[in-house]
Each structure stands twice: as structure tokens, then as C-alpha cells.
Amino acid sequence: MKITVTVIKADIGSIGGHICPSRRLLARVAEYVADQSSGLIIDSHVGCTGDDIAILFSHQQGISSEKVHKLAWDAFVAGTETAKEQGLYGAGQDLLKDAFSGNVKGMGPAVAELEFEERPNEPFLLFAADKTDPGAYNLPLYLSFADPMHNSGLILSPSMNRGFTFAIMDVSHTEADRVIELNAPEELYDIAALLRDPERFVVESVRSRNNGEVAASISTTRLHNIAGKYTGKDDPVMLVRVQGAFPATGEVLSPFSIGHYVAGFMRGSHTGPLMPVKKSTPTSFFDGPPIVSCLAFCVHQGKFTEAVDAFDHPYWDHIRDKVSRKATEIRRQGFFGSAMLPYSELEYGGIVEKMKRIEQGFVDRKTTELVEH
Ligand code: 13P
Ligand code: 13P
Ligand code: MG
Ligand code: MG
């Protein structure tokens, strides 16, 4: 059976600043989806990570289905009403357009979709991150699909021996989707050369070279490219199929043990380590640290099993302690150097006016003065 798994996420309001949605808000979104999905959706799941709500759907409408995207958009609009009634902070934050126009891409919400012929057993992972941008997944994807140090199956499993194709998007090119496809392992250094710049180049999808099937899909939305100003961080979602021709679940989780530094801590303007967290974890220290959750599912004839929380295990407590130490350490240098993002990332915020004013105070020293000193 051919099915599509779609995840669409948005921040439509949260308690106490950018911490987490209210229970009533989550319930409203889930209720809207349950009420409106008959005949369109086979199954759905609603959850939250930090202040973002993710709606997962299975259906047979294909990728970029207007009906499915509209259902998610309408659920977020309905939720925004509840957020306003409760006086939640940032009600409707990620709904950047007034009216739905065919596809949530380019309207604020993040979307990732996979369409495939269901295997007899079909395990997959749903990742949702808060206080970061889509390039945060570049390193984990590189390591789990192209590096035998994390994916032992690249050595051990004949079903992955041909490697994977990475589709990488240049998200700074806003006129159209600008994408390149590169093959691992032959083009590993070219892949690395792009993925090292996660604010510009973002993995959009990964495909198996053994069977041609899609393995992973990542949201590529950069909100400031839509709004032209800072409206909140992108907070990306990702779907990854696992086992068989794809990495084992543990091979996909493995790189998250690094707690790598990503963009998005406090006001979307700082660098912080990405902490793997349990589902529904709120944000805290310095509006962060950046967090990522992972729910594991199987899907059969479009029906999801219950979600298993992949980062709810004693192993990850030890990683979370390490990531807390890394977060504290980089915060010790405040705004200085690599602790704050480069100006190219900040230029969508209020610092632009400040820099214009300061610029006027600069004077070009005359050559003669230079000689005298
Ligand atoms: P099981 O024998 O538990 O299915 O595990 C197989 C495997 O390869 C896990 O990485
Ligand atoms: P969100 O994008 O998660 O709303 O965070 C915005 C922010 O600036 C937090 O400091
Ligand atoms: Mg928010
Ligand atoms: Mg958020």
C-alpha cells in the first residue's frame, strides 16, 4: 500500500514566554484534527517539543496535498484562537500569511513528508527540534547515512553497500528551490563542504542507492527568508525511515550523543549545543538550550502504533548532563565571538538600526595622522 507520512509543525503560542504550549491549546489542535480528518487522513498524532506543536498524518493524498496542508493550517488557526483566549505568548507566531494558499510551505509552518510503498514492517522516526534551524540536522544526517563510525551497517549490511544520495538545498536562494544531489561515498568531501555551512546549505532528503527509496525528509523553512525579519526560530522537523535498506534506529540516534553546537539559542541569535530530550520537554535556560525530541513509530496500512520516546532512556540522561555543561560553558562568553551568531544571521533583527547609527560615528583617519602616530 502506498502511503504518505506528513508532519507539519508550528508555534502558535506558549506559556510563560517561549516555553511550551498550554494543555488546552494542544487539546484544541488535536480535537480539530480528529473532527476534520475523516475521509482524508488515515491516522494522526499531535505532540509538542518546546513551544512548537507538530501534527503527524498518514494519508493517501500524496506529497504537498492541498487538502492535508489546509487541514494542518486550519488546525493551527483554530489553535491560535484558543491561544488568544488564554493570552498565550506569541499567539499565531508562525502563521506568517493571512490566508491559506495551497501549500503551507512558505507560509511559516515547517513541513516534512515521505511517500512510499509500505514495507511489511515500516518503522520510522519523527524528530522535532526547538530553538534551532534546519541545518541542525546536517551533521547527524551526514554521520548516520555516510559515516561507518556511526552507521556500522555501511560496513555490515549488504542492503546499504551502495550508500545514499543527499539532496541539499541552498536556502539562501529565495527565488526558487535550488537543490543539488550528491552521492555518498564518492562525493563525501563535496557533501561535507556544503554541510559545514548549515545556515545556507540544508539536507532536504536522503535516498537509498540500493533500492532508490526515500529514507529521510527534512523541513527546510527559514522563517526570516519568508518574513524578511526575525519572527522566531525555524524549529525544524524531520522524518527518517529505519532498518532494512536504511540505518538501524540506533544508528540514526547515535550522532545526537555529540550535542553538537547549532544556531538558535536565545532570540535565535546564539550558538548552543543541541540537547536530545524526552517528548513534550519545555525550554528553559537562556530560552534553550536548543532541543530535539524523537518519537519512534511503526505504520501499517496507514495506522500508527503508539509512539515510543526514543530519547527517554538512562543513556540520554548522561548526554543531557554533558550538553548542559557545554551550554553553560559557551554562555560564559556571553555575546562574544562564536557564542553569538554572525551578523548575516542577525541582520533580520533590531541590531540593524543600531549598526546604522554606530556606522555614522566612524571616521576615516587621514594618512598623515596615521604617520604621526
Ligand atoms: P535484533 O536482533 O534485536 O532485531 O537487532 C538487530 C539489529 O541489527 C539491531 O541493530
Ligand atoms: P521560538 O522560535 O521557539 O518561538 O523562539 C524564539 C526566541 O527568540 C526565543 O528566545
Ligand atoms: Mg515561540
Ligand atoms: Mg519554537
Side-chain angles (χ1 to χ4, degrees), residues 11 14 18 51-52 93-94 130-131 223 230-235 264-268 286-287:
D11 176 349
S14 46
H18 295 278
D51 61 3
D52 296 293
Q93 178 184 287
D94 286 354
D130 188 33
K131 310 300 184 257
L223 291 178
Y230 182 66
T231 58
K233 213 54 190 171
D234 316 318
D235 302 339
F265 215 168
M266 182 52 80
R267 297 180 185 275
F286 203 58
D287 279 10

Side-chain angles (χ1 to χ4, degrees), residues 221-233:
T221 312
R222 301 265 6 234
L223 291 178
H224 67 217
N225 289 345
I226 302 171
K229 60 176 189 215
Y230 182 66
T231 58
K233 213 54 190 171

